[in-house]
Amino acid sequence: GHVAAALFERRDPRAGAVIKRALYLRPNHGGLHLLAARMLAQSQRRSQAAVEYARAIELARDVGPLIDEALARVPGLDGEGVPVVARAMPIGARQVWRVSAALLQRQRFDVVLGYAQRMVALDPGRYEAQLNLAIAAAALGRHAEALVAADAAHKLKPGTVTALARARALAGLGRVAEGIAQLRDTAAPETPYQRAEREQERDPDRHAPVD
């Protein structure tokens, strides 16, 4: 790895062969994948660089700096109009939340959209992918697409978060009354105290709950 880095710094073409050998010896070394990503990005091989960045991000403890670097070094769109850097994000179940959170914090909704679309294409039953797709699509004004994703997420895991995603998409489509109804129907869970009060109203002879 050190030899590959030194050769790369000198623009020596042998660096490619050396980093390949290093990755063969240590395939789970995040630093080697990061070096490979930088080498590929500099040589304008963006799609291959994205794959190496994805592996480096997957192996990193702090994904923020690597995501910033990938956003800067892997620009442009692919043939389908999706940011190439969306492929520089790992799709493992343990990675989705932290990667999506970092991208949303940076307001890169376009990348989150491409990232989530990629995961949904592989597995429509991924709740985290459908929810992030709904969030990103709504932020980009693609409300019809957001509603489809929010519906899917709500079916997979109904709750307040998915209800909010549906309501936002409905509001974006001008269906405000439906959005309000969605939120109204998704009531917060009843607490034991609220349950006791309700039972007291039904049966006044029972003792009232005590604060």
Side-chain angles (χ1 to χ4, degrees):
H2 286 296
V3 172
L7 291 172
F8 175 57
E9 188 174 347
R10 297 180 182 183
R11 303 295 185 265
D12 190 313
R14 293 175 295 175
V18 177
I19 192 63
K20 285 181 182 178
R21 179 61 179 171
L23 283 168
Y24 173 79
L25 294 171
R26 291 289 299 278
N28 293 321
H29 193 295
L32 293 176
H33 285 284
L34 180 57
L35 176 58
R38 289 170 176 169
M39 293 168 64
L40 290 164
Q42 184 164 302
S43 61
Q44 302 301 311
R45 294 154 71 182
R46 294 177 300 166
S47 295
Q48 291 173 277
V51 173
E52 292 299 334
Y53 270 119
R55 188 67 176 130
I57 291 169
E58 182 179 1
L59 294 167
R61 291 183 179 180
D62 182 6
V63 299
L66 296 191
I67 286 176
D68 287 333
E69 181 176 322
L71 290 171
R73 295 200 181 198
V74 189
L77 306 176
D78 65 14
E80 298 178 357
V82 177
V84 177
V85 74
R87 295 188 174 276
M89 307 298 152
I91 60 173
R94 298 177 63 182
Q95 308 295 327
V96 176
W97 292 118
R98 66 177 189 155
V99 169
S100 296
L103 289 168
L104 291 171
Q105 185 180 27
R106 289 157 174 78
Q107 298 188 1
R108 288 305 305 266
F109 305 112
D110 57 332
V111 180
V112 177
L113 185 71
Y115 177 45
Q117 287 173 332
R118 180 179 164 215
M119 289 185 286
V120 167
L122 293 171
D123 181 6
R126 291 189 66 168
Y127 163 76
E128 69 279 9
Q130 294 284 11
L131 180 58
N132 280 292
L133 178 53
I135 293 169
L140 293 169
R142 298 168 63 162
H143 300 295
E145 190 173 354
L147 182 57
V148 172
D151 282 341
H154 195 62
K155 288 178 182 178
L156 290 166
K157 191 179 293 186
T160 304
V161 174
T162 51
L164 285 169
R166 287 198 80 247
R168 184 179 184 188
L170 288 166
L173 292 168
R175 296 158 60 180
V176 178
E178 290 180 64
I180 293 172
Q182 170 74 69
L183 296 175
R184 186 184 297 120
D185 292 341
T186 310
E190 187 178 50
T191 67
Y193 186 83
Q194 289 171 326
R195 190 180 308 113
E197 281 189 323
R198 178 169 49 78
E199 292 174 353
Q200 174 68 20
E201 290 175 359
R202 290 180 180 175
D203 184 3
D205 294 331
R206 301 184 71 170
H207 293 294
V210 179
D211 264 329

